Amino acid sequence: VYTVVSERHLVTPAVLDQQGVVGSRLTQAGRDAFAMYLQVPDSTSDRTVELAEQLAAESTSTYDLVRRMEAWIGANVQYDLDAPVPPDGVDAVDDLLFGSRHGFCEQISSALAIMLRTQGIPTRIATGYVPGTRDRVTGVWEVRASDAHAWVEVWFPETGWQAFDP
């Protein structure tokens, strides 16, 4: 049992949207600094890149692009704890987006991160736990193994890493 006290600045969708297209704001020094957060696997398929480019063409900002990609994933991929693992030699993101269309949080987060990276946007995958449930009597939050989760963090120049949960 422990207590945490913290303070966070209010980051709203408007604040994120006003930061424009993050990839175009990165200098060469910025791209070098974020190199590990911009890498995509050699196995990344052309159709994964094409889908990301199609969604980016319609977007007005990185925030808008993240939301468009989340919406596309939400409309085309089903969350499934028993989702199949792709066969050896098959790109996992391509298989999720265009093959099985079933995935668990790590697979879905990976797809969003890779698509954003193809557009020059620094991303990382974070894993941890959702808040769990609060005991009404004791006020204690109970976090169980079943609360394990994965999400994407996107870097914005003026606000740093921001979490998104596709």
Side-chain angles (χ1 to χ4, degrees):
V1 177
Y2 59 92
T3 301
V4 174
V5 177
S6 65
E7 180 180 346
R8 291 185 56 161
H9 297 284
L10 181 62
V11 178
T12 65
V15 167
L16 295 176
D17 194 52
Q18 289 171 354
Q19 294 181 57
V21 179
V22 172
S24 68
R25 294 184 62 187
L26 289 177
T27 63
Q28 184 58 50
R31 284 190 292 281
D32 292 345
F34 286 108
M36 71 183 294
Y37 302 110
L38 292 167
Q39 293 177 345
V40 295
D42 292 338
S43 63
T44 301
S45 69
D46 290 342
R47 61 185 177 175
T48 297
V49 175
E50 289 167 7
L51 174 60
E53 288 173 349
Q54 175 188 357
L55 294 168
E58 301 168 4
S59 300
T60 57
S61 69
T62 292
Y63 177 75
D64 182 47
L65 177 57
V66 172
R67 290 303 195 202
R68 286 178 187 274
M69 287 182 176
E70 286 179 323
W72 190 95
I73 291 169
N76 292 281
V77 175
Q78 183 175 348
Y79 179 79
D80 184 352
L81 288 173
D82 296 318
V85 175
D88 288 342
V90 173
D91 181 76
V93 170
D94 182 88
D95 184 65
L96 173 72
L97 297 176
F98 306 105
S100 75
R101 295 196 180 224
H102 286 257
F104 41 86
C105 58
E106 291 91 344
Q107 292 170 308
I108 294 170
S109 294
S110 294
L112 178 59
I114 294 301
M115 287 198 302
L116 287 166
R117 286 180 178 192
T118 68
Q119 301 307 298
I121 300 165
T123 64
R124 62 187 184 189
I125 297 173
T127 58
Y129 294 86
V130 295
T133 56
R134 186 169 187 211
D135 184 301
R136 291 176 162 234
V137 175
T138 65
V140 173
W141 287 90
E142 297 177 357
V143 180
R144 305 182 191 294
S146 60
D147 294 317
H149 195 50
W151 58 94
V152 175
E153 293 182 344
V154 178
W155 185 80
F156 287 83
E158 294 155 25
T159 53
W161 294 104
Q162 300 298 316
F164 292 89
D165 190 1

